[in-house]
Amino acid sequence: MFWSHLSPRWKGVVCLAVTGLGWGMNWPAIKVLLLEAPPLLSRGITGIAAAFILLAIALFRGERVVAPSRALPAIGASAFTNVFAWMGFSTIAMRWLTVAECALLVYTMPIWTTLLAWPVLGMRPTVRSTLALVMGVGGITLLLGAENVVPEPDMIWGILLALAAAICFALGSVLNRKPIPLTPLVSVAWQVGLGSLALVLAGLLYENPSLASLTARSWWIMVYMSLVPMGVCYLAWFAALRYLPPAMASTGILMVPVTGVVAAAFFLGEPFGWVQVGALALTLGGVTLSLQKS
Protein backbone atom coordinates (compact mmCIF):
# COMPACT_ATOMS: atom_id res chain seq x y z
CA MET A 1 0.00 0.00 0.00
CA PHE A 2 2.67 2.49 1.06
CA TRP A 3 4.94 1.59 -1.87
CA SER A 4 2.23 1.91 -4.51
CA HIS A 5 1.45 5.49 -3.45
CA LEU A 6 5.04 6.70 -3.86
CA SER A 7 6.15 8.55 -6.96
CA PRO A 8 8.92 6.94 -9.05
CA ARG A 9 11.40 9.50 -7.73
CA TRP A 10 10.61 8.71 -4.10
CA LYS A 11 10.76 4.98 -4.81
CA GLY A 12 14.26 5.58 -6.14
CA VAL A 13 15.19 7.59 -3.05
CA VAL A 14 13.97 4.80 -0.75
CA CYS A 15 15.88 2.17 -2.72
CA LEU A 16 18.98 4.34 -2.67
CA ALA A 17 18.68 4.79 1.10
CA VAL A 18 18.38 1.02 1.60
CA THR A 19 21.47 0.49 -0.56
CA GLY A 20 23.52 3.16 1.17
CA LEU A 21 22.63 2.02 4.67
CA GLY A 22 23.20 -1.67 3.93
CA TRP A 23 26.52 -1.19 2.16
CA GLY A 24 27.60 1.35 4.78
CA MET A 25 26.89 -0.98 7.69
CA ASN A 26 28.97 -3.63 5.94
CA TRP A 27 32.20 -1.74 6.75
CA PRO A 28 32.05 -2.07 10.56
CA ALA A 29 30.73 -5.63 10.09
CA ILE A 30 33.90 -6.51 8.16
CA LYS A 31 36.03 -4.92 10.88
CA VAL A 32 34.41 -7.13 13.51
CA LEU A 33 34.64 -10.23 11.31
CA LEU A 34 38.39 -9.74 10.87
CA LEU A 35 38.92 -10.18 14.61
CA GLU A 36 38.77 -13.95 14.09
CA ALA A 37 38.01 -14.78 10.44
CA PRO A 38 40.49 -15.03 7.53
CA PRO A 39 39.77 -12.04 5.25
CA LEU A 40 39.97 -13.62 1.80
CA LEU A 41 38.15 -16.85 2.60
CA SER A 42 35.38 -15.21 4.63
CA ARG A 43 34.64 -12.58 1.98
CA GLY A 44 34.79 -15.22 -0.73
CA ILE A 45 32.28 -17.48 1.04
CA THR A 46 29.80 -14.63 1.51
CA GLY A 47 30.23 -13.60 -2.13
CA ILE A 48 29.56 -17.08 -3.49
CA ALA A 49 26.49 -17.41 -1.28
CA ALA A 50 25.24 -14.03 -2.51
CA ALA A 51 25.86 -15.01 -6.15
CA PHE A 52 23.66 -18.10 -5.77
CA ILE A 53 20.96 -15.98 -4.12
CA LEU A 54 21.04 -13.45 -6.98
CA LEU A 55 20.93 -16.21 -9.61
CA ALA A 56 17.97 -17.82 -7.83
CA ILE A 57 16.11 -14.49 -7.86
CA ALA A 58 16.94 -14.05 -11.55
CA LEU A 59 15.57 -17.53 -12.31
CA PHE A 60 12.42 -16.72 -10.36
CA ARG A 61 12.00 -13.59 -12.49
CA GLY A 62 12.43 -15.59 -15.69
CA GLU A 63 15.80 -14.09 -16.65
CA ARG A 64 18.40 -16.02 -18.63
CA VAL A 65 21.22 -17.01 -16.30
CA VAL A 66 23.53 -18.87 -18.71
CA ALA A 67 26.34 -16.56 -19.81
CA PRO A 68 27.20 -16.70 -23.53
CA SER A 69 30.78 -17.72 -24.27
CA ARG A 70 31.54 -14.37 -25.94
CA ALA A 71 30.76 -12.61 -22.64
CA LEU A 72 33.12 -14.68 -20.50
CA PRO A 73 36.27 -12.54 -21.08
CA ALA A 74 34.42 -9.36 -20.06
CA ILE A 75 32.84 -11.09 -17.06
CA GLY A 76 36.23 -12.47 -16.00
CA ALA A 77 37.93 -9.09 -16.29
CA SER A 78 35.20 -7.37 -14.27
CA ALA A 79 35.25 -10.18 -11.70
CA PHE A 80 38.97 -9.58 -11.15
CA THR A 81 38.98 -5.77 -10.95
CA ASN A 82 35.59 -5.10 -9.38
CA VAL A 83 35.25 -8.10 -7.05
CA PHE A 84 38.52 -9.97 -6.40
CA ALA A 85 40.74 -6.88 -6.15
CA TRP A 86 38.07 -4.56 -4.74
CA MET A 87 36.82 -6.89 -2.03
CA GLY A 88 40.10 -8.66 -1.34
CA PHE A 89 42.42 -5.66 -1.10
CA SER A 90 39.97 -3.50 0.84
CA THR A 91 39.22 -6.28 3.33
CA ILE A 92 42.90 -6.99 4.04
CA ALA A 93 43.53 -3.23 4.36
CA MET A 94 41.00 -3.11 7.21
CA ARG A 95 43.46 -5.05 9.35
CA TRP A 96 45.61 -1.92 9.66
CA LEU A 97 43.18 0.95 9.00
CA THR A 98 40.11 2.30 10.72
CA VAL A 99 36.80 2.16 8.88
CA ALA A 100 37.04 5.90 8.14
CA GLU A 101 40.54 5.60 6.69
CA CYS A 102 39.78 2.58 4.55
CA ALA A 103 36.34 3.70 3.35
CA LEU A 104 37.53 7.15 2.27
CA LEU A 105 40.55 5.73 0.45
CA VAL A 106 38.47 3.10 -1.34
CA TYR A 107 35.67 5.47 -2.32
CA THR A 108 38.06 7.71 -4.24
CA MET A 109 37.55 5.35 -7.21
CA PRO A 110 35.51 7.87 -9.29
CA ILE A 111 38.47 10.26 -9.12
CA TRP A 112 40.85 7.52 -10.31
CA THR A 113 38.38 6.64 -13.06
CA THR A 114 38.60 10.19 -14.37
CA LEU A 115 42.40 10.15 -14.23
CA LEU A 116 42.76 6.73 -15.89
CA ALA A 117 40.40 7.74 -18.69
CA TRP A 118 43.10 10.15 -19.93
CA PRO A 119 45.86 7.66 -20.87
CA VAL A 120 43.46 4.81 -21.67
CA LEU A 121 40.64 6.60 -23.53
CA GLY A 122 42.26 9.92 -24.39
CA MET A 123 39.77 11.87 -22.24
CA ARG A 124 41.80 14.78 -20.84
CA PRO A 125 41.08 15.90 -17.26
CA THR A 126 39.03 19.08 -16.93
CA VAL A 127 39.39 21.86 -14.40
CA ARG A 128 36.56 20.23 -12.47
CA SER A 129 38.25 16.81 -12.39
CA THR A 130 41.55 18.41 -11.33
CA LEU A 131 39.79 20.23 -8.50
CA ALA A 132 38.12 16.93 -7.55
CA LEU A 133 41.54 15.28 -7.29
CA VAL A 134 42.90 18.11 -5.13
CA MET A 135 39.89 17.91 -2.78
CA GLY A 136 40.11 14.12 -2.56
CA VAL A 137 43.82 14.14 -1.78
CA GLY A 138 43.27 16.96 0.72
CA GLY A 139 40.60 15.01 2.58
CA ILE A 140 42.70 11.87 2.76
CA THR A 141 45.77 13.83 3.86
CA LEU A 142 43.75 15.51 6.61
CA LEU A 143 42.46 12.17 7.89
CA LEU A 144 45.70 10.21 7.69
CA GLY A 145 47.94 13.05 8.85
CA ALA A 146 45.90 14.25 11.82
CA GLU A 147 47.38 11.71 14.23
CA ASN A 148 50.17 10.19 12.16
CA VAL A 149 52.82 12.59 10.89
CA VAL A 150 54.68 9.52 9.63
CA PRO A 151 52.41 6.46 9.21
CA GLU A 152 53.46 3.21 10.83
CA PRO A 153 54.77 0.52 8.43
CA ASP A 154 51.66 -1.63 8.84
CA MET A 155 49.45 1.38 8.21
CA ILE A 156 51.33 2.08 4.98
CA TRP A 157 50.45 -1.43 3.80
CA GLY A 158 46.81 -0.74 4.58
CA ILE A 159 46.91 2.55 2.68
CA LEU A 160 48.52 0.93 -0.37
CA LEU A 161 46.01 -1.93 -0.40
CA ALA A 162 43.01 0.41 -0.06
CA LEU A 163 44.31 2.60 -2.88
CA ALA A 164 44.97 -0.51 -4.98
CA ALA A 165 41.34 -1.56 -4.47
CA ALA A 166 40.12 1.86 -5.61
CA ILE A 167 42.45 2.00 -8.62
CA CYS A 168 41.62 -1.55 -9.74
CA PHE A 169 37.90 -0.79 -9.55
CA ALA A 170 38.46 2.41 -11.52
CA LEU A 171 40.57 0.59 -14.11
CA GLY A 172 37.82 -1.99 -14.53
CA SER A 173 35.28 0.80 -15.05
CA VAL A 174 37.46 2.33 -17.78
CA LEU A 175 38.44 -0.87 -19.58
CA ASN A 176 35.15 -2.76 -19.33
CA ARG A 177 32.91 -0.20 -20.95
CA LYS A 178 31.05 -2.51 -23.34
CA PRO A 179 27.78 -3.81 -21.89
CA ILE A 180 27.72 -7.50 -20.99
CA PRO A 181 24.84 -9.28 -22.85
CA LEU A 182 23.07 -10.24 -19.63
CA THR A 183 20.58 -8.56 -17.35
CA PRO A 184 22.22 -6.42 -14.64
CA LEU A 185 21.21 -8.88 -11.92
CA VAL A 186 22.66 -11.92 -13.71
CA SER A 187 25.78 -10.01 -14.75
CA VAL A 188 26.51 -9.02 -11.14
CA ALA A 189 25.83 -12.57 -9.95
CA TRP A 190 28.40 -13.97 -12.39
CA GLN A 191 30.99 -11.32 -11.55
CA VAL A 192 30.51 -11.69 -7.79
CA GLY A 193 30.50 -15.49 -8.04
CA LEU A 194 33.68 -15.78 -10.12
CA GLY A 195 35.54 -13.09 -8.18
CA SER A 196 34.52 -14.64 -4.87
CA LEU A 197 35.56 -18.11 -6.04
CA ALA A 198 39.04 -16.69 -6.69
CA LEU A 199 39.01 -15.19 -3.18
CA VAL A 200 38.14 -18.58 -1.67
CA LEU A 201 40.92 -20.30 -3.60
CA ALA A 202 43.43 -17.64 -2.55
CA GLY A 203 42.26 -17.97 1.06
CA LEU A 204 42.67 -21.74 1.03
CA LEU A 205 46.16 -21.42 -0.45
CA TYR A 206 47.58 -18.63 1.69
CA GLU A 207 45.54 -18.21 4.88
CA ASN A 208 45.63 -21.72 6.39
CA PRO A 209 42.05 -21.17 7.61
CA SER A 210 40.24 -22.97 10.40
CA LEU A 211 36.54 -22.33 9.99
CA ALA A 212 35.75 -24.62 12.92
CA SER A 213 37.24 -22.01 15.26
CA LEU A 214 34.81 -19.28 14.18
CA THR A 215 32.24 -18.19 16.75
CA ALA A 216 28.52 -17.87 16.16
CA ARG A 217 28.99 -14.08 15.90
CA SER A 218 31.27 -14.46 12.88
CA TRP A 219 28.90 -16.85 11.14
CA TRP A 220 25.97 -14.48 11.72
CA ILE A 221 28.00 -11.60 10.29
CA MET A 222 28.76 -13.69 7.21
CA VAL A 223 25.06 -14.51 6.83
CA TYR A 224 24.25 -10.80 7.12
CA MET A 225 26.88 -9.91 4.50
CA SER A 226 25.49 -12.49 2.07
CA LEU A 227 21.84 -11.52 2.50
CA VAL A 228 21.89 -7.76 3.01
CA PRO A 229 24.90 -5.95 1.44
CA MET A 230 25.31 -8.42 -1.42
CA GLY A 231 21.69 -9.53 -1.76
CA VAL A 232 19.04 -6.99 -0.78
CA CYS A 233 21.27 -3.99 -1.47
CA TYR A 234 22.14 -5.05 -5.02
CA LEU A 235 18.43 -5.48 -5.78
CA ALA A 236 17.70 -2.06 -4.25
CA TRP A 237 20.56 -0.52 -6.25
CA PHE A 238 19.22 -1.81 -9.57
CA ALA A 239 15.75 -0.56 -8.61
CA ALA A 240 17.20 2.86 -7.77
CA LEU A 241 18.82 3.00 -11.21
CA ARG A 242 15.42 2.37 -12.81
CA TYR A 243 13.78 5.22 -10.91
CA LEU A 244 16.56 7.82 -10.71
CA PRO A 245 18.96 9.46 -13.19
CA PRO A 246 22.37 7.70 -13.13
CA ALA A 247 24.22 10.83 -11.93
CA MET A 248 21.85 11.27 -9.00
CA ALA A 249 22.05 7.60 -8.05
CA SER A 250 25.86 7.57 -8.28
CA THR A 251 26.19 10.71 -6.16
CA GLY A 252 23.67 9.45 -3.64
CA ILE A 253 25.68 6.29 -3.07
CA LEU A 254 28.29 8.46 -1.36
CA MET A 255 26.22 7.97 1.76
CA VAL A 256 27.92 4.54 2.00
CA PRO A 257 31.24 5.76 3.45
CA VAL A 258 29.40 8.31 5.61
CA THR A 259 27.20 5.55 7.05
CA GLY A 260 30.24 3.32 7.54
CA VAL A 261 32.23 5.97 9.40
CA VAL A 262 29.32 6.96 11.66
CA ALA A 263 28.41 3.33 12.36
CA ALA A 264 32.03 2.48 13.21
CA ALA A 265 32.14 5.37 15.65
CA PHE A 266 28.87 4.28 17.28
CA PHE A 267 29.40 0.51 17.41
CA LEU A 268 33.20 0.19 17.49
CA GLY A 269 34.20 3.39 19.29
CA GLU A 270 36.35 4.63 16.41
CA PRO A 271 37.20 8.37 16.39
CA PHE A 272 34.61 10.73 14.96
CA GLY A 273 35.35 14.43 15.37
CA TRP A 274 36.11 17.49 13.31
CA VAL A 275 39.01 15.73 11.54
CA GLN A 276 36.77 12.90 10.31
CA VAL A 277 33.96 15.32 9.35
CA GLY A 278 36.39 17.57 7.47
CA ALA A 279 37.96 14.61 5.68
CA LEU A 280 34.54 13.29 4.68
CA ALA A 281 33.48 16.71 3.38
CA LEU A 282 36.65 17.22 1.32
CA THR A 283 36.97 13.70 -0.07
CA LEU A 284 33.31 13.14 -0.87
CA GLY A 285 33.05 16.68 -2.23
CA GLY A 286 35.83 15.82 -4.65
CA VAL A 287 34.17 12.53 -5.58
CA THR A 288 30.88 14.35 -6.18
CA LEU A 289 32.63 16.77 -8.53
CA SER A 290 34.21 13.90 -10.44
CA LEU A 291 30.79 12.28 -10.92
CA GLN A 292 29.25 15.39 -12.47
CA LYS A 293 29.13 15.80 -16.22
CA SER A 294 31.14 18.67 -17.64
Side-chain angles (χ1 to χ4, degrees):
M1 182 71 71
F2 166 76
W3 186 255
S4 62
H5 284 83
L6 291 178
S7 67
R9 183 181 181 87
W10 275 106
K11 288 180 179 179
V13 170
V14 171
C15 290
L16 196 61
V18 170
T19 305
L21 289 173
W23 282 348
M25 291 296 296
N26 198 40
W27 286 91
I30 294 172
K31 191 73 173 178
V32 174
L33 184 64
L34 290 179
L35 294 175
E36 58 183 57
L40 298 179
L41 184 65
S42 58
R43 290 306 306 274
I45 290 174
T46 60
I48 290 175
F52 278 111
I53 292 172
L54 295 176
L55 285 175
I57 294 172
L59 281 172
F60 178 78
R61 294 169 56 172
E63 299 179 9
R64 186 186 67 178
V65 299
V66 178
S69 57
R70 68 180 187 279
L72 292 180
I75 292 174
S78 295
F80 175 78
T81 56
N82 295 10
V83 179
F84 178 81
W86 161 264
M87 288 172 48
F89 293 164
S90 62
T91 301
I92 297 175
M94 293 273 282
R95 283 183 162 179
W96 303 298
L97 301 176
T98 66
V99 169
E101 291 163 348
C102 192
L104 282 186
L105 285 166
V106 167
Y107 271 87
T108 58
M109 69 269 196
I111 298 175
W112 297 108
T113 301
T114 302
L115 292 178
L116 290 171
W118 185 9
V120 176
L121 304 177
M123 301 170 62
R124 295 178 63 87
T126 63
V127 173
R128 176 179 291 171
S129 62
T130 303
L131 178 59
L133 175 63
V134 172
M135 292 177 66
V137 172
I140 293 168
T141 302
L142 173 63
L143 182 64
L144 298 179
E147 299 178 359
N148 304 280
V149 178
V150 178
E152 297 293 330
D154 285 347
M155 186 179 183
I156 292 175
W157 278 112
I159 293 170
L160 292 176
L161 283 167
L163 285 175
I167 293 171
C168 285
F169 193 99
L171 183 62
S173 300
V174 172
L175 294 178
N176 305 316
R177 293 172 63 86
K178 292 184 179 180
I180 295 174
L182 293 168
T183 64
L185 185 61
V186 175
S187 177
V188 167
W190 272 98
Q191 293 173 50
V192 169
L194 290 177
S196 298
L197 178 60
L199 286 172
V200 167
L201 294 176
L204 291 174
L205 285 173
Y206 298 110
E207 292 179 334
N208 192 26
S210 175
L211 295 181
S213 63
L214 297 184
T215 64
R217 180 184 66 176
S218 292
W219 284 110
W220 277 115
I221 291 175
M222 292 170 68
V223 169
Y224 162 79
M225 290 167 63
S226 299
L227 295 178
V228 180
M230 303 187 74
V232 172
C233 290
Y234 266 118
L235 295 175
W237 171 244
F238 292 136
L241 291 177
R242 289 199 304 269
Y243 293 123
L244 299 174
M248 181 179 178
S250 298
T251 304
I253 210 63
L254 294 178
M255 68 184 292
V256 174
V258 176
T259 301
V261 172
V262 173
F266 184 80
F267 292 108
L268 307 180
E270 291 193 356
F272 187 75
W274 70 268
V275 171
Q276 287 72 29
V277 172
L280 280 169
L282 277 173
T283 305
L284 299 186
V287 172
T288 302
L289 273 180
S290 71
L291 288 170
Q292 304 305 308
K293 292 183 178 180
S294 301

